[in-house]
Amino acid sequence: MSSTATPSTDLSFLAELGLEGLQPGAYAGQWLECGGEELEVFTPSTGELIGRVKQANAADYEKVASAAQEAFLRWRQLPAPLRGEYVRLCGEEMRKHKDVLGKIVSLEMGKILQEGLGEVQEAIDIADFAVGQSRMLYGLSLHSERPEHAMREQWHPMGVVGVISAFNFPSAVWAWNSMLAMICGDSCIWKPSWKTPLTAIAMTKVCAKVLEPAGLGAVLSMVIGSDQEVGELLTGDARIPLVSATGSSRMGQHVAAKVAGRFGKTILELGGNNAVVVMEDADLEMAARAIAFGSVGTAGQRCTSTRRVLVQKGVKLPLVSRLLELYEKVNIGHPLAEGTLMGPLIDQDAIDSVHAAIARVKELGGEILCGGEDYQPEGCEGGFYMTPAIATAENHWDVVQNETFGPILYIIEVDDLDDAIRIHNDVPQGLSSAIFTLDMRKAEMFLSAVGSDCGIANVNIGTSGAEIGGAFGGEKETGGGRESGSDAWKAYMRRQTNTVNYGTELPLAQGIEFDID
């Protein structure tokens, strides 16, 4: 491992979006003077204080929720293409501020600058996607069984959408939800992670430049507060028919039960335990590079990060040998430094969880092939760095079955494709998967109904780095939600079936006779 030169700490770029000084933690068409506790924001790269936020309390949440509900009543009446025009303008504002937004993401979350910029680009891309979708909120024309009757299906705005996002994608996941919800006629209340509040404030400020002049700022409302107070209010609020939540499977269970208890709907994007299957006929260099990015990128803190490698015995040694070479070349350092490939983990708890996983692997008889050690890049004292680890393991081990949100990769030997698919599917999660093979039959089998049980299945590319054009999400303990592309927009609307009688008789369905004078 090697480290890159650390740039001098310069927070002047925060001034572009007015993020210096104490920030208000709630927005409801205007920024509120919140009554909650002050939250200090530290960068995981050096541990330095980079911002302060005055969090919202219950009274502040009520102001936000009321404003979002009022905004929805106005917003839903705008024609969908006009709503799309506002989304287009939001996307243009993101473009104007892409560089500074990317830096904020990197500094606050710890992912390298290229990934920070890529995340903001993802938010811009989904805005572009939503603009086109605003003219394609299609219903259906159906055939009635009754004469002189017409049937159709149409989609209407649902209401206020609650968006609970995690620290690892502090802008993109919100954009996946909010840009689509907007064109569908919904307003949003965003509850971001308390670990990355500055990104949320910055994104909200950028879009407020578009919406506020039209008196529509509260369409994209935001509230920063504790899970126990603000989070519980949001999930229990009957004014919010849909809650989209990203986080751990444990968190998702709680949110799902709370929202379902009031007959609300959820979109859940939860844990992953993603595997790459490597067959003996694979392009090993391509596989190794994809695995390295999938496991090391974002310090292993993506929900789609590669956790397991299921490799056939005949190519296990050369694949592992190449992975060890690639891991040795990973530059670990400050996320804003040029040449850095892996930044810090989000906090000490994240590092401790990887250490605990390593200790459990050793206890069960696995071997740590490399990494898993605390690491201190020059000039980054106080940051949360470690070397990415590779370990041999068995799939049934509890440490493998449970996702560790950090840079630890398990090497698991398999006999053949059938064995690989069985082991691949034998985990509680079902988000992303991949196979490397040059055999069309093996590739198609992996993508078939008897293959990968994940929401995402790839051939000759890794598990990480989904495009916005496809629906994103997974099965089992991953939650079953779908966001972003394809027809994911339907989750943000309510379906309505219409039947119109344009005749002079009143026939009943199923041929029922009900004569009454």
Side-chain angles (χ1 to χ4, degrees), residues 16-17 86-102 116-117 119-128 130 171-172 174-176 178-180 182 190 199 202-211 220:
E16 180 176 324
L17 294 174
Y86 280 104
V87 170
R88 185 188 70 80
L89 294 172
C90 287
E92 289 302 312
E93 284 298 318
M94 294 180 207
R95 279 187 174 87
K96 292 178 185 177
H97 299 284
K98 177 182 173 179
D99 287 347
V100 69
L101 289 170
L117 294 170
E119 180 175 345
V120 178
Q121 185 61 50
E122 193 168 356
I124 294 167
D125 290 345
I126 195 63
D128 289 347
S171 64
W174 165 77
W176 287 357
S178 60
M179 298 298 106
L180 286 179
M182 284 177 71
W190 183 13
T199 300
M203 295 296 289
T204 300
K205 285 187 174 184
V206 165
C207 291
K209 293 181 179 181
V210 172
L211 298 172
L220 292 181

Side-chain angles (χ1 to χ4, degrees), residues 107-227:
L107 188 68
E108 188 172 41
M109 185 269 152
K111 62 178 63 175
I112 64 174
L113 181 56
Q114 280 298 308
E115 290 189 82
L117 294 170
E119 180 175 345
V120 178
Q121 185 61 50
E122 193 168 356
I124 294 167
D125 290 345
I126 195 63
D128 289 347
F129 180 94
V131 173
Q133 191 67 64
S134 70
R135 293 181 180 271
M136 298 186 295
L137 302 178
Y138 296 135
L140 293 173
S141 176
L142 307 169
H143 289 276
S144 173
E145 66 184 61
R146 289 171 282 185
E148 298 184 316
H149 280 59
M151 292 181 66
R152 71 184 185 192
E153 178 182 275
Q154 59 180 337
W155 297 83
H156 292 305
M158 181 177 288
V160 182
V161 175
V163 180
I164 301 173
S165 63
F167 74 87
N168 60 331
F169 278 87
S171 64
V173 170
W174 165 77
W176 287 357
N177 286 277
S178 60
M179 298 298 106
L180 286 179
M182 284 177 71
I183 60 106
C184 290
D186 303 325
S187 61
C188 294
I189 299 177
W190 183 13
K191 184 191 177 300
S193 169
W194 59 268
K195 297 180 181 182
T196 51
L198 296 183
T199 300
I201 293 170
M203 295 296 289
T204 300
K205 285 187 174 184
V206 165
C207 291
K209 293 181 179 181
V210 172
L211 298 172
E212 262 188 31
L216 295 167
V219 167
L220 292 181
S221 295
M222 185 207 67
V223 59
I224 298 169
S226 70
D227 295 339

Side-chain angles (χ1 to χ4, degrees), residues 361-412:
V361 167
K362 292 178 179 178
E363 182 182 329
L364 292 169
E367 180 184 359
I368 306 304
L369 303 178
C370 75
E373 302 165 337
D374 290 344
Y375 188 78
Q376 197 66 70
E378 184 180 350
C380 293
E381 292 76 12
F384 304 106
Y385 298 86
M386 70 182 308
T387 57
I390 300 176
T392 61
E394 297 291 335
N395 196 70
H396 65 272
W397 291 353
D398 54 5
V399 69
V400 178
Q401 292 284 308
N402 296 304
E403 179 187 37
T404 299
F405 213 61
I408 181 167
L409 179 69
Y410 302 115
I411 306 295
I412 301 168

Side-chain angles (χ1 to χ4, degrees), residues 420-488:
I421 290 174
R422 178 186 61 80
I423 292 174
H424 173 279
N425 293 346
D426 191 21
V427 291
Q429 311 85 357
L431 179 53
S432 187
S433 60
I435 186 171
F436 279 82
T437 178
L438 299 180
D439 187 327
M440 178 197 70
R441 292 176 176 174
K442 292 175 183 175
E444 290 295 338
M445 181 65 73
F446 187 74
L447 302 180
S448 74
V450 298
S452 167
D453 63 358
C454 292
I456 299 169
N458 299 327
V459 176
N460 293 330
I461 61 172
T463 61
S464 194
E467 299 179 28
I468 60 96
F472 180 91
E475 304 301 325
K476 302 189 292 189
E477 289 187 8
T478 302
R482 292 297 186 274
E483 295 171 333
S484 193
S486 186
D487 65 349

Side-chain angles (χ1 to χ4, degrees), residues 4 52 56 82 134 180 195 251 281 290 384 415 422 453 492:
T4 53
R52 295 178 297 127
L82 180 55
S134 70
L180 286 179
K195 297 180 181 182
M251 179 274 280
D281 60 7
F384 304 106
D415 296 330
R422 178 186 61 80
D453 63 358
Y492 304 89

